[in-house]
Amino acid sequence: RKEVEQDPGPFNVPEGATVAFNCTYSNSASQSFFWYRQDCRKEPKLLMSVYSSGNEDGRFTAQLNRASQYISLLIRDSKLSDSATYLCVVILNTGGFKTIFGAGTRLFVKA
Amino acid sequence: GAVVSQHPSRVICKSGTSVKIECRSLDFQATTMFWYRQFPKQSLMLMATSNEGSKATYEQGVEKDKFLINHASLTLSTLTVTSAHPEDSSFYICSARSSPGTSANEQFFGPGTRLTVL
C-alpha cells in the first residue's frame, strides 16, 4: 500500500463547479500535511497547509481528519486557471523528517 | 516566499557523459536540500537528502555512485549524474527547507532541470 494515496483523476469540470480531492495516508508518524499545485512541466508550489481545525484561503478549503488519516481539498467556483495537478504531501517524523508526495490528481477546468 | 534556483533548466547530452545540476537557495540558508526525480505523469520521487557539510542520505534504490551529491555550502547543493543513460532522462527538482528540523516548514522548490540523454 502506498504511504500517500490520492483520487486517480483526471477531474474534468466546467467553470464555476465545486470539486473535491481526497487523500489518505497510512503512516501514523505523519506529522504535517500540505497541498501543492504543480503545473505542467513546472515545479510544485505550495497551495496551503492542512490543519485539523481546517483552513480556508479564498475559494480553497483544506481539511485534515487524523482519526481517519484523511485529507481533503475543496475548490469552489472553479476557474480555468485552476487546471493543474494537485499533490497531497505528508511529512513523516520517524527520527528524521521525510516528505512523501502523493501521485497527484489532475484537474481540467473547461469553459 | 524564499527563492531556490536551479541551473541548467534544460540539458541534452550524449549517453555516457556526466551532467552537473546546481541548486541554490538565493535568500536564505538551507542546511538541508532535497533532490527529487519526476518521470512523466508520475509523482516526485525523493532521491536523496543533502545535508551541508556531510554525506547525503540516499533513498533505497538510488545509486549513490551514479548520482553524486555535494552540499558544500549553506546555499549550494549539486547533483552530478555520472555516465548518463537514456533511462536517466527525467525532470530533476531540488528543494530546500528554510529552517532545519522543523517539519512544518515549507519546502521551497527550484524550477527543475529537464535532462534528456540521447
Side-chain angles (χ1 to χ4, degrees), chain B residues 38-76:
Chain B
Q38 186 176 33
F39 293 105
K41 297 187 178 182
Q42 295 187 26
S43 185
L44 279 76
M45 295 300 296
L46 180 64
M47 299 175 66
T49 301
S50 167
N51 297 296
E52 186 268 336
S54 64
K55 290 183 179 180
T57 303
Y58 289 81
E59 295 299 301
Q60 192 173 12
V62 178
E63 298 175 57
K64 62 179 181 180
D65 294 328
K66 179 170 181 63
F67 299 99
L68 303 178
I69 291 173
N70 184 286
H71 194 158
S73 77
L74 287 171
T75 59
L76 173 64

Side-chain angles (χ1 to χ4, degrees), chain A residues 2 27 31 46 52 64 67 70 79 90 108 111:
Chain A
K2 293 181 181 178
N27 196 319
Q31 188 164 358
L46 179 67
S52 297
L64 164 65
Y70 169 93
K79 310 293 185 189
V90 172
F108 295 101

